[in-house]
mmCIF file of all heavy atoms in Angstrom:
data_model
loop_
_atom_site.group_PDB
_atom_site.id
_atom_site.type_symbol
_atom_site.label_atom_id
_atom_site.label_comp_id
_atom_site.label_asym_id
_atom_site.label_seq_id
_atom_site.Cartn_x
_atom_site.Cartn_y
_atom_site.Cartn_z
ATOM 1 N N PRO A 386 -16.352 7.812 12.023
ATOM 2 C CA PRO A 386 -15.215 6.919 12.188
ATOM 3 C C PRO A 386 -15.203 6.273 13.542
ATOM 4 O O PRO A 386 -15.724 6.825 14.522
ATOM 5 C CB PRO A 386 -14.016 7.844 12.016
ATOM 6 C CG PRO A 386 -14.506 9.198 12.280
ATOM 7 C CD PRO A 386 -15.959 9.213 11.972
ATOM 8 N N MET A 387 -14.613 5.093 13.634
ATOM 9 C CA MET A 387 -14.593 4.358 14.876
ATOM 10 C C MET A 387 -13.243 3.672 15.082
ATOM 11 O O MET A 387 -12.545 3.416 14.117
ATOM 12 C CB MET A 387 -15.722 3.301 14.918
ATOM 13 C CG MET A 387 -15.437 2.062 14.167
ATOM 14 S SD MET A 387 -16.511 0.641 14.402
ATOM 15 C CE MET A 387 -17.860 1.204 15.325
ATOM 16 N N TYR A 388 -12.903 3.447 16.338
ATOM 17 C CA TYR A 388 -11.689 2.719 16.699
ATOM 18 C C TYR A 388 -12.037 1.261 16.863
ATOM 19 O O TYR A 388 -13.065 0.900 17.456
ATOM 20 C CB TYR A 388 -11.115 3.231 18.032
ATOM 21 C CG TYR A 388 -10.219 4.404 17.893
ATOM 22 C CD1 TYR A 388 -10.666 5.674 18.272
ATOM 23 C CD2 TYR A 388 -8.955 4.293 17.393
ATOM 24 C CE1 TYR A 388 -9.844 6.760 18.171
ATOM 25 C CE2 TYR A 388 -8.119 5.382 17.272
ATOM 26 C CZ TYR A 388 -8.584 6.639 17.646
ATOM 27 O OH TYR A 388 -7.763 7.707 17.548
ATOM 28 N N ILE A 389 -11.150 0.403 16.364
ATOM 29 C CA ILE A 389 -11.262 -1.020 16.624
ATOM 30 C C ILE A 389 -9.924 -1.424 17.268
ATOM 31 O O ILE A 389 -8.869 -1.299 16.652
ATOM 32 C CB ILE A 389 -11.516 -1.842 15.349
ATOM 33 C CG1 ILE A 389 -12.839 -1.424 14.717
ATOM 34 C CG2 ILE A 389 -11.524 -3.318 15.651
ATOM 35 C CD1 ILE A 389 -13.172 -2.158 13.458
ATOM 36 N N TYR A 390 -10.007 -1.877 18.514
ATOM 37 C CA TYR A 390 -8.814 -2.227 19.260
ATOM 38 C C TYR A 390 -8.306 -3.593 18.827
ATOM 39 O O TYR A 390 -9.047 -4.376 18.260
ATOM 40 C CB TYR A 390 -9.123 -2.179 20.766
ATOM 41 C CG TYR A 390 -9.476 -0.790 21.221
ATOM 42 C CD1 TYR A 390 -10.806 -0.415 21.476
ATOM 43 C CD2 TYR A 390 -8.482 0.172 21.373
ATOM 44 C CE1 TYR A 390 -11.109 0.863 21.861
ATOM 45 C CE2 TYR A 390 -8.790 1.458 21.764
ATOM 46 C CZ TYR A 390 -10.123 1.795 22.006
ATOM 47 O OH TYR A 390 -10.420 3.067 22.399
ATOM 48 N N PRO A 391 -7.034 -3.874 19.081
ATOM 49 C CA PRO A 391 -6.470 -5.178 18.683
ATOM 50 C C PRO A 391 -7.244 -6.358 19.279
ATOM 51 O O PRO A 391 -7.589 -6.370 20.460
ATOM 52 C CB PRO A 391 -5.060 -5.140 19.209
ATOM 53 C CG PRO A 391 -4.744 -3.702 19.369
ATOM 54 C CD PRO A 391 -6.051 -3.025 19.674
ATOM 55 N N GLY A 392 -7.559 -7.338 18.434
ATOM 56 C CA GLY A 392 -8.292 -8.511 18.880
ATOM 57 C C GLY A 392 -9.790 -8.356 18.905
ATOM 58 O O GLY A 392 -10.515 -9.313 19.135
ATOM 59 N N LYS A 393 -10.303 -7.179 18.680
ATOM 60 C CA LYS A 393 -11.733 -6.918 18.698
ATOM 61 C C LYS A 393 -12.315 -6.961 17.284
ATOM 62 O O LYS A 393 -11.600 -6.895 16.284
ATOM 63 C CB LYS A 393 -12.058 -5.536 19.305
ATOM 64 C CG LYS A 393 -11.553 -5.370 20.725
ATOM 65 C CD LYS A 393 -12.344 -6.258 21.665
ATOM 66 C CE LYS A 393 -11.847 -6.058 23.076
ATOM 67 N NZ LYS A 393 -12.512 -6.907 24.023
ATOM 68 N N ALA A 394 -13.635 -7.052 17.208
ATOM 69 C CA ALA A 394 -14.331 -7.114 15.918
ATOM 70 C C ALA A 394 -15.534 -6.192 15.934
ATOM 71 O O ALA A 394 -16.089 -5.881 17.001
ATOM 72 C CB ALA A 394 -14.772 -8.528 15.605
ATOM 73 N N HIS A 395 -15.899 -5.751 14.768
ATOM 74 C CA HIS A 395 -17.096 -4.878 14.590
ATOM 75 C C HIS A 395 -17.975 -5.566 13.578
ATOM 76 O O HIS A 395 -17.535 -6.016 12.530
ATOM 77 C CB HIS A 395 -16.697 -3.500 14.112
ATOM 78 C CG HIS A 395 -17.821 -2.673 13.627
ATOM 79 N ND1 HIS A 395 -18.841 -2.247 14.438
ATOM 80 C CD2 HIS A 395 -18.138 -2.203 12.377
ATOM 81 C CE1 HIS A 395 -19.709 -1.540 13.723
ATOM 82 N NE2 HIS A 395 -19.292 -1.501 12.466
ATOM 83 N N GLN A 396 -19.272 -5.652 13.882
ATOM 84 C CA GLN A 396 -20.202 -6.328 13.003
ATOM 85 C C GLN A 396 -21.400 -5.412 12.693
ATOM 86 O O GLN A 396 -21.906 -4.739 13.591
ATOM 87 C CB GLN A 396 -20.713 -7.625 13.657
ATOM 88 C CG GLN A 396 -21.370 -8.556 12.703
ATOM 89 C CD GLN A 396 -21.571 -9.931 13.320
ATOM 90 O OE1 GLN A 396 -21.780 -10.031 14.540
ATOM 91 N NE2 GLN A 396 -21.520 -10.962 12.537
ATOM 92 N N LEU A 397 -21.789 -5.365 11.439
ATOM 93 C CA LEU A 397 -22.886 -4.538 10.999
ATOM 94 C C LEU A 397 -23.813 -5.322 10.090
ATOM 95 O O LEU A 397 -23.347 -5.931 9.104
ATOM 96 C CB LEU A 397 -22.341 -3.293 10.284
ATOM 97 C CG LEU A 397 -23.365 -2.282 9.801
ATOM 98 C CD1 LEU A 397 -24.042 -1.586 10.968
ATOM 99 C CD2 LEU A 397 -22.713 -1.252 8.896
ATOM 100 N N ARG A 398 -25.087 -5.302 10.429
ATOM 101 C CA ARG A 398 -26.089 -5.995 9.569
ATOM 102 C C ARG A 398 -26.653 -4.980 8.583
ATOM 103 O O ARG A 398 -27.075 -3.903 8.968
ATOM 104 C CB ARG A 398 -27.208 -6.580 10.416
ATOM 105 C CG ARG A 398 -26.736 -7.718 11.301
ATOM 106 C CD ARG A 398 -27.832 -8.201 12.252
ATOM 107 N NE ARG A 398 -29.129 -8.405 11.655
ATOM 108 C CZ ARG A 398 -29.522 -9.547 11.078
ATOM 109 N NH1 ARG A 398 -28.709 -10.571 11.046
ATOM 110 N NH2 ARG A 398 -30.725 -9.656 10.572
ATOM 111 N N ILE A 399 -26.637 -5.337 7.322
ATOM 112 C CA ILE A 399 -27.070 -4.439 6.248
ATOM 113 C C ILE A 399 -28.269 -5.082 5.539
ATOM 114 O O ILE A 399 -28.139 -6.183 4.996
ATOM 115 C CB ILE A 399 -25.903 -4.232 5.227
ATOM 116 C CG1 ILE A 399 -24.672 -3.728 5.936
ATOM 117 C CG2 ILE A 399 -26.352 -3.279 4.131
ATOM 118 C CD1 ILE A 399 -23.426 -3.870 5.124
ATOM 119 N N GLU A 400 -29.383 -4.388 5.532
ATOM 120 C CA GLU A 400 -30.565 -4.869 4.850
ATOM 121 C C GLU A 400 -30.538 -4.367 3.407
ATOM 122 O O GLU A 400 -30.434 -3.180 3.166
ATOM 123 C CB GLU A 400 -31.826 -4.413 5.556
ATOM 124 C CG GLU A 400 -31.996 -5.033 6.918
ATOM 125 C CD GLU A 400 -33.311 -4.630 7.568
ATOM 126 O OE1 GLU A 400 -34.217 -4.170 6.828
ATOM 127 O OE2 GLU A 400 -33.417 -4.774 8.775
ATOM 128 N N THR A 401 -30.627 -5.280 2.468
ATOM 129 C CA THR A 401 -30.556 -4.913 1.060
ATOM 130 C C THR A 401 -31.829 -4.218 0.570
ATOM 131 O O THR A 401 -31.778 -3.476 -0.400
ATOM 132 C CB THR A 401 -30.305 -6.151 0.172
ATOM 133 O OG1 THR A 401 -31.318 -7.123 0.427
ATOM 134 C CG2 THR A 401 -28.940 -6.744 0.490
ATOM 135 N N SER A 402 -32.907 -4.395 1.285
ATOM 136 C CA SER A 402 -34.164 -3.773 0.842
ATOM 137 C C SER A 402 -34.111 -2.258 0.882
ATOM 138 O O SER A 402 -34.766 -1.582 0.075
ATOM 139 C CB SER A 402 -35.331 -4.278 1.713
ATOM 140 O OG SER A 402 -35.151 -3.914 3.060
ATOM 141 N N THR A 403 -33.314 -1.684 1.787
ATOM 142 C CA THR A 403 -33.191 -0.225 1.830
ATOM 143 C C THR A 403 -32.533 0.307 0.563
ATOM 144 O O THR A 403 -32.932 1.375 0.058
ATOM 145 C CB THR A 403 -32.363 0.215 3.045
ATOM 146 O OG1 THR A 403 -31.073 -0.420 2.997
ATOM 147 C CG2 THR A 403 -33.057 -0.141 4.341
ATOM 148 N N PHE A 404 -31.577 -0.427 0.043
ATOM 149 C CA PHE A 404 -30.919 0.016 -1.202
ATOM 150 C C PHE A 404 -31.831 -0.221 -2.405
ATOM 151 O O PHE A 404 -31.803 0.518 -3.353
ATOM 152 C CB PHE A 404 -29.587 -0.697 -1.374
ATOM 153 C CG PHE A 404 -28.637 -0.440 -0.259
ATOM 154 C CD1 PHE A 404 -28.395 -1.429 0.697
ATOM 155 C CD2 PHE A 404 -28.004 0.781 -0.152
ATOM 156 C CE1 PHE A 404 -27.550 -1.193 1.741
ATOM 157 C CE2 PHE A 404 -27.134 1.022 0.900
ATOM 158 C CZ PHE A 404 -26.931 0.045 1.843
#
Side-chain angles (χ1 to χ4, degrees):
M387 79 167 11
Y388 275 106
I389 298 180
Y390 296 103
K393 300 291 181 183
H395 167 65
Q396 196 168 32
L397 181 68
R398 293 174 47 89
I399 305 163
E400 293 185 17
T401 56
S402 62
T403 56
F404 301 105

